Amino acid sequence: MNAVILAGGKGTRLRPLTLNTPKPIVPILTRPFLALQIELLKKTGIDNIVLSLSYQPRRIEELFGDGSSLGVKIHYTMEPEPLGTAGAVKNAEALIAGRTVVFNGDVLSDLDLGAVLKQHEETGAKATIVLTPVENPTAYGLVETEDDGRVRQFLEKPSYDEITCNTINAGVYILERETLDRIPEGKSYSFERGFFPSLLKDNIPFYAYVHRGYWIDIGTPEKYLRVHRDILSRALPFEGFSPNAGGTYVDPTATVESGAKIQGPGYIGEGALVKAGAHLEPFAVVGPNCRIESGAVVGNSVLWSNVRIGTEARVRGALIGRSAHIGHRSILEGGIVLGDKSVLTDYSRVTALELDSDG
Ligand code: GDD
Ligand code: MG
């Protein structure tokens, strides 16, 4: 069977991290995001995968090649101009045969895809959509269902007064080949605003599968940090995260000097150095070859590779891109996102300051 992964979005909400690294391959601990989705497909026996790209496609192609390193076959489509979610699948039509699984390229879950396929067979659906319950559906596609699981209504990005239930589109679909005939060729068309409403209008068998396990869209800084917290706290199983008794994974090639204080859960990547007197608070992800100097405090943050945190600096609630340098005694606190190669001079303060209202 085939799968198409929609990975053409610009990742604007994750800027500046996504300026040099397209969202589909931002690292989750150290693995490029799409590798996790590809693994889920492979586990379900789906090894013919189309990556539908638009933004920085070469970077992604260079990383995965023909897929042989992951044990699958990967093909690529590239849209000079984004064709929308359904238009992107239409654009890949020549590369797919028969039933197709479609993934939004930014959702992570412990979905049992085999069970979704089984239900799809049993109901005789032409299209099946995976739903998941969330607290606030306004950022998603709201999906109402009948008692027998048929979809009744699809409403993308509902306003507060349009919320009638808590199940949303989890960004995973199974489509019978013939439904692709409904997608216009060569123009922008979306599943959410065009294709799904049209299935309902024409009374095509369109069913929902409700997933009640783990699910997240990694497309915002808050969610990106949350995924790491969930992996470290083991709410989301992650292959290769094998922490020590204190809850921290320390790569065998990393150096933690004696006199460094490490409070788990946490992650210390390949070749990283944590100096004596440094303090890692819970939920610190220290990427490959980072250097945490003496007296520095890092907690609840994700540092990509080669980041240097200067002596006595304090970093909490931050996402920091590759090769950034945070100067001595700097303070970064609360929802901070810094791009690759950022340099903060000594004594910088990047925090939500409470300013006097009269200025
Ligand atoms: N190839 C291609 N071309 N891919 C695209 C395009 C396009 O024109 N537009 C979006 N994508 C990809 C994005 O890269 C992303 O992986 C996926 O399609 C969904 O786009 P987002 O921009 O992340 O949409 P969203 O998060 O606001 O909403 C979508 O996902 C929600 C679940 O996370 C919708 O499908 C919602 O209904 C859904 O609830
Ligand atoms: Mg998204």
Side-chain angles (χ1 to χ4, degrees), residues 26-30 214 216 222-234 236 241 267 283 285 301-302 304 319:
V26 297
I28 303 296
L29 289 183
T30 50
Y214 187 88
I216 199 165
E222 297 74 20
K223 299 289 175 58
Y224 181 72
L225 183 56
R226 154 90 12 219
V227 168
H228 285 87
R229 292 179 60 97
D230 290 341
I231 292 171
L232 298 182
S233 66
R234 322 212 72 177
L236 175 65
F241 178 63
Y267 180 91
F283 301 106
V285 174
S301 295
V302 179
W304 286 6
L319 305 176

Side-chain angles (χ1 to χ4, degrees), residues 1-14:
M1 209 178 2
N2 308 274
V4 179
I5 302 183
L6 298 171
K10 286 207 178 82
T12 46
R13 290 163 290 185
L14 273 179

